[in-house]
Amino acid sequence: MIKNLVTLFVSAAFGLCISPVTLADDQPMPDGWSTEQNPVPMEQPAPQSGIIPSSEPPVPNWAVAAMLAIDPKYTQGIVIVTGQGGTPEPKKWVISARDSDDLGTLHRITVADGQVISDVQSMNTFEALRQDVSIDPTQVQVDSGDAFLIAQPIAAANSKIIGRVDYALTIRGTDAAPIWTLNCFDLNGGFLGKVILLATTGTVLSTPGFKNSPTP
């Protein structure tokens, strides 16, 4: 057999279909013939999860974030901020504040996850009479989560474990600093004691119910 012959499995005389043809490497292409190029395999894209990672951590549901979420017409007249059942963050904060656009009318505003979910006029006579006090959110350098971290070792020094906390942020006079009062409960809901501290510096003022202090 001659090395450079074209091997044809065909019989044109009988009108049969042309079967594959093998050409030698140095054999010229016959007139009218064409060849198909082998397709170049495409690189498959990496699977996408559809989730874009966020570089920003979620904002904690602490008191200052709740105060900053309310309408600015209230922020100059905040009287008291409370949060119940914090573990350590409560599910919602209740803010009593005067409406500067409505002759100082007292409102009770509920904030959850940084959003106002309720705003109603308050009929609390005691809070309504406290026209001379106002909590400035920018003064609160020790937020509710920070206050919890202060209370936790105090409870531990008394062989107690805090299960939940009721928070109250108040102010006692025009030029006074805001104060945190943390009512602490155990895992079964039993009352343990209170931790009262300055919201400006974190200085502990008193710990009713907790006799022992943490060792330095």
Side-chain angles (χ1 to χ4, degrees):
M1 179 180 292
I2 301 174
K3 178 179 179 181
N4 294 332
L5 286 180
V6 177
T7 304
L8 300 176
F9 296 97
V10 63
S11 177
F14 292 98
L16 297 179
C17 295
I18 299 175
S19 59
V21 176
T22 303
L23 298 177
D25 293 338
D26 57 352
Q27 179 70 27
M29 181 69 66
D31 294 339
W33 284 31
S34 63
T35 59
E36 293 184 1
Q37 300 295 327
N38 291 331
V40 177
M42 298 182 63
E43 183 177 349
Q44 296 297 322
Q48 301 294 325
S49 64
I51 300 175
I52 300 175
S54 174
S55 58
E56 294 293 332
V59 177
N61 189 33
W62 291 0
V64 172
M67 287 190 283
L68 296 177
I70 64 177
D71 194 299
K73 66 182 180 180
Y74 296 124
T75 54
Q76 299 301 315
I78 298 174
V79 176
I80 184 172
V81 181
T82 59
Q84 305 294 314
T87 58
E89 296 180 7
K91 293 182 178 179
K92 60 185 180 181
W93 291 97
V94 178
I95 302 171
S96 294
R98 297 184 299 273
D99 184 352
S100 59
D101 291 347
D102 188 20
L103 301 176
T105 303
L106 191 68
H107 280 244
R108 185 180 177 88
I109 308 140
T110 304
V111 180
D113 296 324
Q115 301 292 326
V116 175
I117 61 174
S118 175
D119 183 347
V120 297
Q121 188 170 343
S122 175
M123 299 302 172
N124 189 308
T125 305
F126 174 74
E127 293 175 0
L129 292 174
R130 303 184 70 196
Q131 296 293 325
D132 60 336
V133 301
S134 178
I135 301 172
D136 182 355
T138 63
Q139 281 190 305
V140 183
Q141 299 299 309
V142 178
D143 209 337
S144 52
D146 305 314
F148 176 81
L149 294 178
I150 294 172
Q152 207 171 26
I154 294 174
N158 290 269
S159 302
K160 304 295 183 182
I161 298 176
I162 299 175
R164 66 177 178 86
V165 176
D166 289 348
Y167 296 92
L169 180 65
T170 58
I171 192 167
R172 296 176 180 175
T174 305
D175 298 322
I179 292 174
W180 277 115
T181 299
L182 279 65
N183 288 295
C184 305
F185 301 84
D186 62 21
L187 297 173
N188 296 318
F191 180 70
L192 297 175
K194 295 184 179 182
V195 176
I196 302 172
L197 56 93
L198 292 176
T200 50
T201 62
T203 301
V204 176
L205 302 177
S206 62
T207 58
F210 296 120
K211 295 180 180 180
N212 301 324
S213 299
T215 54

